[in-house]
Short mmCIF file of all heavy atoms in Angstrom, two decimals:
data_model
loop_
_atom_site.label_atom_id
_atom_site.label_comp_id
_atom_site.label_asym_id
_atom_site.label_seq_id
_atom_site.Cartn_x
_atom_site.Cartn_y
_atom_site.Cartn_z
N ALA A 115 -9.31 202.55 72.88
CA ALA A 115 -8.18 201.63 72.95
C ALA A 115 -8.65 200.24 72.57
O ALA A 115 -9.78 199.85 72.85
CB ALA A 115 -7.57 201.61 74.34
N CYS A 116 -7.77 199.51 71.89
CA CYS A 116 -8.05 198.13 71.48
C CYS A 116 -6.87 197.25 71.85
O CYS A 116 -5.73 197.70 71.90
CB CYS A 116 -8.24 198.05 69.96
SG CYS A 116 -9.66 198.93 69.34
N SER A 117 -7.19 195.97 72.03
CA SER A 117 -6.15 194.98 72.21
C SER A 117 -6.64 193.66 71.64
O SER A 117 -7.81 193.32 71.77
CB SER A 117 -5.81 194.80 73.70
OG SER A 117 -4.69 193.97 73.84
N GLY A 118 -5.74 192.96 70.98
CA GLY A 118 -6.08 191.66 70.42
C GLY A 118 -5.24 191.30 69.21
O GLY A 118 -4.98 190.14 68.96
N VAL A 119 -4.83 192.30 68.46
CA VAL A 119 -4.01 192.06 67.27
C VAL A 119 -2.69 192.81 67.46
O VAL A 119 -2.40 193.30 68.55
CB VAL A 119 -4.76 192.47 65.97
CG1 VAL A 119 -5.98 191.57 65.76
CG2 VAL A 119 -5.21 193.93 66.00
N GLN A 120 -1.89 192.92 66.42
CA GLN A 120 -0.63 193.64 66.56
C GLN A 120 -0.94 195.07 67.02
O GLN A 120 -1.92 195.68 66.60
CB GLN A 120 0.13 193.67 65.24
CG GLN A 120 0.60 192.31 64.78
CD GLN A 120 -0.34 191.64 63.81
OE1 GLN A 120 -1.56 191.73 63.94
NE2 GLN A 120 0.21 190.97 62.80
N GLN A 121 -0.05 195.63 67.84
CA GLN A 121 -0.32 196.93 68.45
C GLN A 121 -0.55 198.04 67.43
O GLN A 121 -1.37 198.93 67.64
CB GLN A 121 0.77 197.30 69.45
CG GLN A 121 2.16 197.39 68.89
CD GLN A 121 3.20 197.59 69.96
OE1 GLN A 121 2.91 197.97 71.10
NE2 GLN A 121 4.46 197.34 69.61
N TRP A 122 0.12 197.99 66.29
CA TRP A 122 -0.10 199.02 65.27
C TRP A 122 -1.50 198.89 64.67
O TRP A 122 -2.11 199.89 64.33
CB TRP A 122 0.99 198.99 64.20
CG TRP A 122 1.30 197.62 63.67
CD1 TRP A 122 0.74 197.01 62.59
CD2 TRP A 122 2.24 196.69 64.20
NE1 TRP A 122 1.26 195.75 62.40
CE2 TRP A 122 2.20 195.53 63.38
CE3 TRP A 122 3.13 196.72 65.27
CZ2 TRP A 122 3.00 194.42 63.62
CZ3 TRP A 122 3.92 195.61 65.50
CH2 TRP A 122 3.85 194.48 64.68
N TYR A 123 -2.00 197.67 64.56
CA TYR A 123 -3.37 197.49 64.09
C TYR A 123 -4.38 197.82 65.18
O TYR A 123 -5.46 198.34 64.90
CB TYR A 123 -3.59 196.07 63.57
CG TYR A 123 -2.91 195.79 62.25
CD1 TYR A 123 -2.31 194.56 62.01
CD2 TYR A 123 -2.88 196.74 61.23
CE1 TYR A 123 -1.69 194.29 60.80
CE2 TYR A 123 -2.26 196.47 60.02
CZ TYR A 123 -1.68 195.24 59.81
OH TYR A 123 -1.07 194.97 58.60
N ASP A 124 -4.04 197.55 66.44
CA ASP A 124 -4.90 197.99 67.54
C ASP A 124 -5.08 199.52 67.47
O ASP A 124 -6.18 200.03 67.62
CB ASP A 124 -4.28 197.64 68.89
CG ASP A 124 -4.36 196.17 69.26
OD1 ASP A 124 -5.21 195.45 68.70
OD2 ASP A 124 -3.57 195.75 70.12
N MET A 125 -3.98 200.22 67.22
CA MET A 125 -4.04 201.68 67.13
C MET A 125 -4.86 202.12 65.93
O MET A 125 -5.65 203.07 66.00
CB MET A 125 -2.64 202.27 67.07
CG MET A 125 -2.61 203.77 67.09
SD MET A 125 -0.90 204.36 67.14
CE MET A 125 -1.18 206.11 67.14
N LEU A 126 -4.68 201.45 64.79
CA LEU A 126 -5.44 201.78 63.59
C LEU A 126 -6.94 201.64 63.84
O LEU A 126 -7.72 202.55 63.53
CB LEU A 126 -5.01 200.87 62.44
CG LEU A 126 -5.81 200.99 61.13
CD1 LEU A 126 -5.67 202.37 60.52
CD2 LEU A 126 -5.38 199.91 60.16
N ILE A 127 -7.34 200.53 64.42
CA ILE A 127 -8.76 200.29 64.70
C ILE A 127 -9.28 201.33 65.70
O ILE A 127 -10.38 201.86 65.53
CB ILE A 127 -8.97 198.85 65.21
CG1 ILE A 127 -8.62 197.85 64.11
CG2 ILE A 127 -10.40 198.65 65.69
CD1 ILE A 127 -8.44 196.41 64.60
N SER A 128 -8.49 201.62 66.71
CA SER A 128 -8.88 202.65 67.69
C SER A 128 -9.10 203.99 67.00
O SER A 128 -10.05 204.71 67.31
CB SER A 128 -7.81 202.79 68.78
OG SER A 128 -7.69 201.60 69.53
N GLY A 129 -8.22 204.31 66.05
CA GLY A 129 -8.36 205.55 65.29
C GLY A 129 -9.62 205.59 64.45
O GLY A 129 -10.32 206.60 64.40
N TRP A 130 -9.90 204.49 63.77
CA TRP A 130 -11.13 204.42 62.97
C TRP A 130 -12.35 204.70 63.84
O TRP A 130 -13.23 205.48 63.47
CB TRP A 130 -11.29 203.04 62.35
CG TRP A 130 -10.38 202.70 61.23
CD1 TRP A 130 -9.64 203.55 60.47
CD2 TRP A 130 -10.11 201.38 60.74
NE1 TRP A 130 -8.93 202.84 59.53
CE2 TRP A 130 -9.20 201.52 59.67
CE3 TRP A 130 -10.54 200.11 61.10
CZ2 TRP A 130 -8.73 200.42 58.96
CZ3 TRP A 130 -10.08 199.02 60.40
CH2 TRP A 130 -9.17 199.19 59.33
N ILE A 131 -12.39 204.05 65.00
CA ILE A 131 -13.55 204.20 65.88
C ILE A 131 -13.63 205.61 66.44
O ILE A 131 -14.71 206.22 66.47
CB ILE A 131 -13.51 203.14 67.00
CG1 ILE A 131 -13.64 201.74 66.41
CG2 ILE A 131 -14.60 203.41 68.04
CD1 ILE A 131 -13.31 200.62 67.38
N ALA A 132 -12.50 206.17 66.87
CA ALA A 132 -12.50 207.52 67.43
C ALA A 132 -12.97 208.55 66.40
O ALA A 132 -13.80 209.42 66.71
CB ALA A 132 -11.10 207.88 67.93
N LEU A 133 -12.46 208.46 65.19
CA LEU A 133 -12.89 209.39 64.14
C LEU A 133 -14.37 209.22 63.81
O LEU A 133 -15.10 210.21 63.63
CB LEU A 133 -12.04 209.21 62.89
CG LEU A 133 -10.60 209.69 63.00
CD1 LEU A 133 -9.76 209.16 61.85
CD2 LEU A 133 -10.53 211.20 63.06
N ALA A 134 -14.82 207.98 63.77
CA ALA A 134 -16.24 207.73 63.49
C ALA A 134 -17.11 208.31 64.59
O ALA A 134 -18.16 208.92 64.31
CB ALA A 134 -16.50 206.23 63.32
N ILE A 135 -16.70 208.16 65.85
CA ILE A 135 -17.49 208.72 66.96
C ILE A 135 -17.63 210.23 66.79
O ILE A 135 -18.73 210.78 66.89
CB ILE A 135 -16.84 208.38 68.31
CG1 ILE A 135 -17.03 206.89 68.63
CG2 ILE A 135 -17.42 209.25 69.43
CD1 ILE A 135 -16.21 206.40 69.81
N GLU A 136 -16.52 210.90 66.54
CA GLU A 136 -16.58 212.37 66.44
C GLU A 136 -17.43 212.81 65.26
O GLU A 136 -18.25 213.72 65.38
CB GLU A 136 -15.17 212.95 66.33
CG GLU A 136 -15.13 214.45 66.54
CD GLU A 136 -15.49 214.87 67.95
OE1 GLU A 136 -14.85 214.41 68.90
OE2 GLU A 136 -16.42 215.70 68.10
N GLN A 137 -17.26 212.16 64.12
CA GLN A 137 -18.02 212.59 62.94
C GLN A 137 -19.51 212.24 63.07
O GLN A 137 -20.37 213.01 62.62
CB GLN A 137 -17.41 211.98 61.68
CG GLN A 137 -15.97 212.41 61.43
CD GLN A 137 -15.74 213.91 61.56
OE1 GLN A 137 -16.43 214.70 60.93
NE2 GLN A 137 -14.80 214.31 62.39
N LEU A 138 -19.84 211.11 63.66
CA LEU A 138 -21.24 210.78 63.90
C LEU A 138 -21.86 211.76 64.90
O LEU A 138 -23.03 212.15 64.77
CB LEU A 138 -21.39 209.35 64.42
CG LEU A 138 -21.10 208.24 63.40
CD1 LEU A 138 -21.06 206.88 64.08
CD2 LEU A 138 -22.11 208.26 62.26
N THR A 139 -21.07 212.19 65.87
CA THR A 139 -21.55 213.18 66.84
C THR A 139 -21.79 214.52 66.15
O THR A 139 -22.80 215.19 66.41
CB THR A 139 -20.56 213.34 68.00
OG1 THR A 139 -20.36 212.07 68.63
CG2 THR A 139 -21.07 214.34 69.03
N ILE A 140 -20.88 214.91 65.27
CA ILE A 140 -21.07 216.15 64.51
C ILE A 140 -22.36 216.08 63.71
O ILE A 140 -23.15 217.03 63.69
CB ILE A 140 -19.86 216.45 63.61
CG1 ILE A 140 -18.66 216.86 64.46
CG2 ILE A 140 -20.19 217.51 62.56
CD1 ILE A 140 -17.34 216.94 63.70
N ASN A 141 -22.59 214.97 63.03
CA ASN A 141 -23.81 214.82 62.25
C ASN A 141 -25.04 214.92 63.15
O ASN A 141 -25.99 215.64 62.82
CB ASN A 141 -23.81 213.48 61.51
CG ASN A 141 -25.05 213.30 60.68
OD1 ASN A 141 -25.24 213.99 59.69
ND2 ASN A 141 -25.92 212.39 61.10
N ASP A 142 -25.02 214.23 64.26
CA ASP A 142 -26.15 214.26 65.19
C ASP A 142 -26.39 215.68 65.71
O ASP A 142 -27.52 216.15 65.78
CB ASP A 142 -25.86 213.30 66.34
CG ASP A 142 -27.09 212.91 67.12
OD1 ASP A 142 -28.07 212.47 66.50
OD2 ASP A 142 -27.08 213.06 68.36
N TYR A 143 -25.32 216.35 66.05
CA TYR A 143 -25.37 217.73 66.55
C TYR A 143 -25.96 218.67 65.51
O TYR A 143 -26.83 219.49 65.80
CB TYR A 143 -23.96 218.15 66.97
CG TYR A 143 -23.82 219.56 67.45
CD1 TYR A 143 -24.36 219.95 68.66
CD2 TYR A 143 -23.10 220.50 66.71
CE1 TYR A 143 -24.21 221.25 69.13
CE2 TYR A 143 -22.94 221.79 67.16
CZ TYR A 143 -23.49 222.17 68.37
OH TYR A 143 -23.34 223.45 68.81
N GLN A 144 -25.48 218.56 64.28
CA GLN A 144 -25.99 219.44 63.21
C GLN A 144 -27.46 219.17 62.91
O GLN A 144 -28.23 220.11 62.68
CB GLN A 144 -25.14 219.29 61.94
CG GLN A 144 -23.73 219.80 62.08
CD GLN A 144 -23.67 221.27 62.47
OE1 GLN A 144 -24.49 222.07 62.10
NE2 GLN A 144 -22.66 221.62 63.26
N LEU A 145 -27.86 217.91 62.90
CA LEU A 145 -29.28 217.59 62.69
C LEU A 145 -30.14 218.17 63.79
O LEU A 145 -31.23 218.70 63.54
CB LEU A 145 -29.48 216.08 62.61
CG LEU A 145 -29.02 215.39 61.33
CD1 LEU A 145 -29.13 213.87 61.47
CD2 LEU A 145 -29.82 215.88 60.13
#
Side-chain angles (χ1 to χ4, degrees):
C116 295
S117 188
V119 294
Q120 294 96 321
Q121 59 187 343
W122 47 91
Y123 288 141
D124 286 339
M125 185 176 179
L126 174 64
I127 295 165
S128 296
W130 288 343
I131 295 167
L133 289 166
I135 289 169
E136 193 67 56
Q137 299 312 307
L138 290 171
T139 303
I140 288 170
N141 181 69
D142 198 53
Y143 177 69
Q144 292 302 327
L145 286 173

